[in-house]
């Protein structure tokens, strides 16, 4: 009896040995996404994992230790181009652990976190290598242009808070001489949706949204940069992921006059088709479709690595962003105006899914000082539209329709310091109620010459300070 019992215990023990082996972690795949200001290394795991990440010097390295884990991925096949990583080495640590060593070409600020499985991926360990001092865009805005744009933003915000008018007390003197006109470019921030480990929607034949919208965005970039008085800033200029709030933060840092986010729609049925234009809704969505779409697009942060369990460094900034949302009314009006122009042009290229600008709570549109639109170029889930979205001539037509709508708005409503405003002022013929500013002019002299108070002259021309530009046309109010 005792011998039989021992045999059963031994058999049970032998059965547990392979089960214990199955509990070990496994790195199934390794993916790298390189951006101008960071690189993201993603470990696709068969099960949850704990990691110890630390740096070493002389030479510069980053070490990633994974307990009770084995490597089943091809490390040699990882494309390191464009990143700070020159080589990846791996080895066994303490018998059953895995050590991954990243040999680095520059200083990095690492952070890491784990993510639970979602609709597209299983367990993941994400290691971000941020490059201190680097810009998130390839060609950042000139500091002088940034200063001019910041002055305009402050003035516009002051007007919005004052209810659209600014009345100032009469200054003792206003002797600041007219400055040369800056003739700055209008900055258009172009955001190609998704990217990196977030492919976006996937069409019936396997077309990835992130690839299609990147092609359209680059075509739009060439149109913007090829037009005098305009300049494009690409929010992402490659296949890497950027968080939704970071996209708007980059646009603000680059002092964009307009932000456009380009996507390709999808639905759980292949039947819907057509292009749509969306602006932010500060309350509810204008349709059930818009509400559903905003929720699905906003979930991109869960795929890209931002969820409730992650402690973000920018919590204070996000809180400030919520407070700034209160000043967005004037910006939203501009967004709807530009959206109407873009929608009209898109109707000449593609069928419209909705005949008006929809509104929904997209995180990516919450830029308090920047008119913003999200454009769904078509339904990638529709087989016919998927084929059209892959057609280069159709992509060019969509990009041209988007830019034509944007350009038309800014030619009618140019920012004061822009080249378009200078061209408009020089083309405009002055009459008895207008005056074109000459070199050496000051507001006080112009006001005295026409017999009106300085404050009334500033109010009639929506001037928040004493700065005036040569060539600028002032409307002279009746005294």
């Amino acid at each position: 009896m005792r011998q039989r019992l021992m045999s059963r215990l031994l058999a049970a023990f032998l059965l547990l040995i392979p089960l214990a082996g199955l509990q070990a972690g496994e790195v199934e795949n390794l993916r790298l996404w390189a951006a101008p200001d960071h690189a993201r290394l993603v470990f696709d795991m068969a099960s949850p994992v704990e990691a110890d990440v630390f740096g070493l010097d002389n030479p510069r390295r980053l070490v990633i230790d994974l307990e009770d884990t084995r490597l089943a991925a091809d490390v040699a096949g990882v494309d390191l181009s464009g990143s700070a990583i020159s080589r990846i080495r791996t080895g066994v640590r303490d018998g059953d652990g895995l050590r991954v060593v990243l040999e680095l070409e520059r200083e990095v600020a690492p952070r890491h976190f784990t993510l639970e499985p979602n609709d597209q991926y299983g367990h993941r360990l994400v290691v971000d290598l941020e490059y201190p001092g680097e810009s998130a865009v390839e060609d950042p805005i000139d500091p002088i242009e940034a200063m001019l744009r910041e002055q305009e933003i402050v003035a516009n915000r002051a007007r919005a808070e004052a209810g659209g008018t600014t009345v100032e007390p009469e200054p003792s003197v206003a002797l600041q001489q007219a400055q040369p006109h800056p003739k700055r470019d209008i900055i258009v921030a172009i955001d190609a949706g998704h990217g990196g480990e977030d492919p976006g929607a996937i069409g019936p034949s396997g077309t990835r949204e992130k690839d299609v919208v990147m092609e359209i965005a680059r075509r739009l970039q060439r149109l913007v940069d090829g037009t005098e008085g305009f300049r494009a800033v690409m929010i992402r200029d490659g296949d890497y992921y950027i968080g939704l709030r970071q996209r708007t933060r980059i646009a603000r840092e680059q002092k964009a006059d307009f932000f456009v986010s380009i996507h390709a729609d999808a639905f759980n049925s292949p039947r819907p088709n057509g292009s749509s234009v969306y602006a932010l809704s500060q309350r509810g969505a204008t349709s059930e479709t818009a509400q559903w779409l905003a929720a699905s697009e906003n979930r991109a942060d869960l795929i890209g690595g931002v969820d409730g369990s992650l402690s973000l460094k920018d919590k204070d900034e996000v809180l400030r962003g919520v407070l700034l949302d209160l000043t967005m009314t004037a910006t939203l009006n501009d967004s709807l105006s530009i959206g109407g122009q873009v929608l009209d042009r898109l109707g000449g290229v593609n069928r419209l899914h909705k005949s008006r600008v929809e509104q929904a709570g997209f995180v990516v549109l919450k830029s308090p000082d920047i008119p913003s639109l999200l454009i769904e170029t078509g339904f990638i889930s529709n087989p016919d539209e998927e084929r059209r979205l892959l057609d280069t001539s159709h992509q060019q037509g969509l990009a041209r329709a988007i830019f034509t709508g944007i350009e038309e708005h800014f030619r009618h409503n140019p920012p004061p310091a822009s080249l378009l405003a200078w061209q408009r002022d020089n083309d405009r013929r002055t009459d008895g109620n207008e005056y074109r500013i000459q070199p050496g002019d000051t507001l006080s002299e112009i006001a005295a010459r026409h017999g009106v108070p300085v404050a009334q002259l500033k109010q009639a021309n929506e001037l928040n300070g004493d700065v005036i530009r040569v060539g600028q046309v002032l409307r002279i109010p009746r005294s």
Side-chain angles (χ1 to χ4, degrees):
M1 181 73 180
R2 178 178 178 141
Q3 185 176 2
R4 186 182 302 168
L5 179 61
M6 291 296 293
S7 298
R8 288 179 177 174
L9 289 173
L10 179 60
F13 176 74
L14 291 174
L15 287 172
L16 287 173
I17 290 177
L19 290 175
L22 290 175
Q23 298 304 309
E26 183 175 272
V27 180
E28 298 176 327
N29 191 26
L30 203 60
R31 294 173 286 128
L32 178 70
W33 312 101
D37 64 337
H38 74 278
R40 169 166 286 189
L41 189 63
V42 180
F43 294 76
D44 288 312
M45 306 297 302
S47 57
V49 66
E50 292 293 330
D52 183 22
V53 179
F54 57 92
L56 296 174
D57 293 323
N58 301 319
R60 187 180 285 124
R61 289 151 292 161
L62 189 72
V63 179
I64 305 165
D65 283 341
L66 307 176
E67 294 293 334
D68 195 20
T69 299
R70 72 183 189 90
L71 181 66
D74 178 19
V75 174
V78 179
D79 183 6
L80 304 178
S81 59
S83 75
I85 305 171
S86 60
R87 185 186 175 198
I88 300 179
R89 294 187 284 111
T90 64
V92 178
R93 177 180 176 275
D94 295 341
D96 60 358
L98 174 66
R99 169 163 285 186
V100 179
V101 179
L102 311 180
E103 296 184 2
L104 304 173
E105 296 179 340
R106 57 167 300 163
E107 179 187 359
V108 301
R111 71 183 184 111
H112 69 282
F113 53 91
T114 58
L115 291 171
E116 297 293 324
N118 56 36
D119 293 341
Q120 299 190 29
Y121 299 105
H123 292 280
R124 288 167 292 163
L125 167 67
V126 179
V127 180
D128 281 337
L129 312 178
E130 298 178 359
Y131 308 152
E134 290 294 330
S135 172
V137 297
E138 295 283 358
D139 185 20
I141 187 173
D142 179 82
I144 296 177
E145 286 194 353
M147 179 188 68
L148 292 168
R149 171 68 176 133
E150 184 63 33
Q151 291 173 350
E152 291 177 345
I153 289 172
V154 170
N156 290 338
R157 188 181 302 160
R159 277 198 296 272
E161 292 173 354
T165 60
T166 304
V167 180
E168 299 178 353
E170 180 77 20
S172 55
V173 287
L175 298 176
Q176 188 166 348
Q177 290 192 350
Q179 302 298 310
H181 201 288
K183 304 177 188 174
R184 73 168 183 86
D185 289 336
I186 292 171
I187 306 297
V188 179
I190 304 172
D191 172 41
H194 307 279
E197 66 268 34
D198 174 16
I202 298 177
S205 67
T207 304
R208 300 181 301 185
E209 179 184 0
K210 69 173 184 177
D211 298 329
V212 168
V213 299
M214 189 76 246
E215 287 299 316
I216 297 171
R218 286 192 171 125
R219 292 177 183 278
L220 177 58
Q221 177 192 21
R222 289 192 286 270
L223 288 171
V224 172
D225 286 339
T227 304
E228 186 182 35
F230 287 86
R231 181 187 156 198
V233 169
M234 295 292 282
I235 298 299
R236 75 171 176 95
D237 201 15
D239 189 12
Y240 48 85
Y241 178 78
I242 299 177
L244 300 180
R245 289 196 179 275
Q246 186 183 0
R247 294 173 192 247
T248 60
R249 185 163 61 246
I250 292 171
R252 284 200 297 272
E253 288 172 354
Q254 297 303 306
K255 309 303 177 187
D257 295 275
F258 182 70
F259 175 93
V260 56
S261 188
I262 301 175
H263 292 255
D265 218 335
F267 199 64
N268 53 17
S269 163
R271 296 180 60 186
N273 60 81
S275 302
S276 305
V277 176
Y278 292 86
L280 177 68
S281 170
Q282 293 175 285
R283 295 184 180 177
T286 53
S287 75
E288 187 176 347
T289 304
Q291 187 176 18
W292 179 87
L293 180 62
S296 65
E297 293 291 0
N298 291 346
R299 280 199 300 271
D301 267 351
L302 296 178
I303 296 173
V306 179
D307 65 4
S309 65
L310 177 61
S311 177
L312 296 175
K313 296 183 299 181
D314 62 347
K315 272 193 170 64
D316 289 341
E317 185 167 345
V318 171
L319 179 59
R320 290 197 297 272
V322 172
L323 297 175
L324 282 173
D325 285 350
L326 299 175
T327 69
M328 292 177 62
T329 303
T331 302
L332 181 56
N333 289 337
D334 281 345
S335 299
L336 293 171
S337 173
I338 300 172
Q341 302 275 17
V342 171
L343 193 67
D344 287 345
R345 301 303 179 278
L346 284 173
V349 177
N350 198 31
R351 183 182 181 276
L352 296 180
H353 183 64
K354 293 284 186 179
S355 59
R356 62 172 180 170
V357 179
E358 294 279 284
Q359 291 180 256
F362 294 100
V363 173
V364 78
L365 297 183
K366 292 188 176 181
S367 300
D369 297 317
I370 310 172
S372 306
L373 291 176
L374 185 145
I375 297 174
E376 297 286 357
T377 52
F379 277 81
I380 201 171
S381 53
N382 180 295
D384 291 335
E385 207 145 60
E386 179 190 20
R387 284 192 292 270
R388 295 192 72 198
L389 286 170
L390 288 170
D391 181 77
T392 56
S393 61
H394 185 60
Q395 292 173 356
Q396 184 69 19
L398 291 169
R400 187 171 296 283
I402 294 168
F403 178 60
T404 302
I406 296 170
E407 182 185 21
E408 183 164 339
H409 170 85
F410 280 108
R411 289 206 179 276
H412 286 89
N413 305 279
S418 67
L419 173 66
L420 266 63
W422 180 84
Q423 291 174 336
R424 179 201 61 187
D425 289 344
N426 278 273
D427 289 342
R428 181 191 294 173
R429 296 183 63 183
T430 59
D431 56 27
N433 294 324
E434 292 179 334
Y435 175 76
R436 178 173 284 117
I437 296 171
Q438 305 298 315
D441 278 345
T442 65
L443 273 178
S444 58
E445 290 173 349
I446 296 171
R449 197 179 308 153
H450 291 87
V452 296
V454 171
Q456 190 177 352
L457 182 63
K458 292 168 71 173
Q459 182 180 355
N461 292 277
E462 297 185 346
L463 299 176
N464 283 66
D466 297 331
V467 177
I468 53 177
R469 310 286 181 189
V470 174
Q472 181 180 356
V473 175
L474 297 181
R475 188 167 68 85
I476 306 300
R478 299 191 179 210
S479 58

